[in-house]
Amino acid sequence: MRKHKGEHPRMGALDVCPFIPISDVTVTECVEISKKFGARLAKEVGVPVFLYGAASETEYRKTMPQIRAGEYEGLEDKLKEERWAPDFGCSTFVPSWGGTVTGVRKFLIAYNINMLSTKEQAHRIALNLREKGRGDDQPGRLKACQGIGWWLEEANIAQISLNMTDMDVTPMHVAYEEAKKDAEDLKVAVTGSELVGLVPLSAMLAAADFYIEKEGLMVLDENQKVHLAINRLGLSTLSPFNPKERIIEYCLPSSSSNLLIQKTVNDFVLSVGDRSSAPGGGSVSALLAALGCGLGAM
């Protein structure tokens, strides 16, 4: 850490370890898990640990930008202030590590928009978009959005790097379209985008629905909607975007193998013929109605 340099803000070797409720778990349970993790990390490794998000009870220590302000280089002096005493561990600066933040948040979409521009132009657009903008007197246009502009040396392009902290408030397709507007004003090109890590299926379908309505398209199949979102957002511009590896629901093991909808036609017919009360007339009627909808969509 003493020698580490990079574009992305950071304050420690393990900068942040978030716990995110995805399936069959509550926010409250995740808060307890994050606190146990923080306490154990501080005890066993001997580093300062801060809580954020739903796990933090202090308003000025809720977000990563608040806690990470000053970054690694400013952490030693920050720890000397009583208001920045860590939630776990002592206020001693550990040069080889720095500090760690843990807590609970909604699913964060790490989303980069590709620009044929300078780093400064990309950062200018990021300031226009991100919620905090250029300061309290010049807020940005997009709520629940953090962002900076940087240069991606290996691709010879600039990027607007965004953290979408609440996709229900600001979806990624909205950020993409807003970036295109500002890029047009600067006479620079947007050439697709990039997702870092996993993304919820709902975010992809929301993007697809936006472009379906915007362009007057007729797309009903889920896989085709995902394909449309990948295409319109340019998610395969820098590297192939494989939905089975990048959409979180497609990565989770299925727990619905016994549902009727998962059965083959052959298995469904045999189930109807079994000496049991279900599946029965209702299920058969539902299947026929679904087939009718399929024919109608042809």
Side-chain angles (χ1 to χ4, degrees):
M1 284 304 299
R2 297 179 184 91
K3 298 180 179 179
H4 178 266
K5 301 292 181 183
E7 291 281 357
H8 202 288
R10 80 285 180 268
M11 62 181 286
L14 174 58
D15 190 58
V16 57
C17 180
F19 291 86
I20 306 160
I22 298 294
S23 177
D24 300 326
V25 65
T26 66
V27 169
T28 301
E29 289 170 327
C30 286
V31 167
E32 289 305 309
I33 293 170
S34 69
K35 289 181 177 179
K36 289 179 181 178
F37 166 78
R40 183 174 177 181
L41 180 66
K43 180 180 179 181
E44 296 187 10
V45 184
V47 296
V49 179
F50 301 86
L51 293 173
Y52 88 122
S56 174
E57 298 177 0
T58 308
E59 199 58 39
Y60 67 88
R61 292 165 59 150
K62 283 281 187 182
T63 69
M64 281 302 299
Q66 288 173 328
I67 300 172
R68 200 191 265 145
E71 299 190 44
Y72 169 83
E73 289 75 13
L75 184 59
E76 185 172 11
D77 290 336
K78 196 171 186 176
L79 286 169
K80 295 175 183 177
E81 302 178 32
E82 184 177 345
R83 69 195 301 264
W84 285 107
D87 293 284
F88 302 103
C90 60
S91 298
T92 303
F93 180 63
V94 183
S96 62
W97 184 282
T100 291
V101 183
T102 188
V104 180
R105 59 164 172 77
K106 286 188 173 183
F107 199 99
L108 180 149
I109 299 178
Y111 184 54
N112 300 331
I113 300 172
N114 306 328
M115 305 281 300
L116 298 184
S117 69
T118 65
K119 167 187 171 182
E120 289 72 23
Q121 288 171 318
H123 189 62
R124 177 177 172 180
I125 296 176
L127 295 179
N128 293 343
L129 299 183
R130 69 185 190 183
E131 182 171 9
K132 73 174 184 178
R134 292 171 172 79
D136 293 338
D137 59 336
Q138 289 184 285
R141 301 200 301 271
L142 303 183
K143 299 294 185 182
C145 177
Q146 304 161 0
I148 59 174
W150 62 28
W151 182 255
L152 189 64
E153 185 68 35
E154 58 267 32
N156 194 35
I157 61 171
Q159 286 186 318
I160 304 168
S161 178
L162 302 175
N163 280 344
M164 320 294 294
T165 59
D166 191 334
M167 63 184 184
D168 296 325
V169 174
T170 300
M172 59 183 177
H173 63 270
V174 170
Y176 186 69
E177 291 298 318
E178 290 298 310
K180 286 170 63 178
K181 291 178 185 177
D182 285 18
E184 185 176 351
D185 291 340
L186 294 178
K187 300 189 185 308
V188 297
V190 171
T191 59
S193 58
E194 174 189 35
L195 276 165
V196 181
L198 301 176
V199 63
L201 175 62
S202 59
M204 298 294 288
L205 296 181
D209 289 341
F210 169 80
Y211 290 107
I212 288 170
E213 182 175 353
K214 179 182 179 183
E215 300 173 26
L217 304 175
M218 180 69 171
V219 183
L220 299 177
D221 181 75
E222 180 178 290
N223 290 333
Q224 291 185 354
K225 284 188 174 184
V226 169
H227 179 85
L228 179 67
I230 294 170
N231 177 271
R232 293 300 188 266
L233 297 174
L235 293 175
S236 290
T237 303
L238 296 181
S239 60
F241 184 94
N242 185 344
K244 293 182 179 179
E245 296 175 354
R246 304 298 301 281
I247 295 177
I248 190 165
E249 286 85 351
Y250 295 172
C251 298
L252 295 173
S254 174
S255 59
S256 56
S257 58
N258 291 324
L259 295 179
L260 286 177
I261 198 171
Q262 299 293 329
K263 293 183 179 295
T264 64
V265 173
N266 182 65
D267 288 341
F268 179 79
V269 171
L270 292 175
S271 296
V272 173
D274 285 343
R275 293 184 178 182
S276 59
S277 58
S283 299
V284 171
S285 298
L287 174 60
L288 292 174
L291 291 172
C293 289
L295 285 171
M298 284 179 62

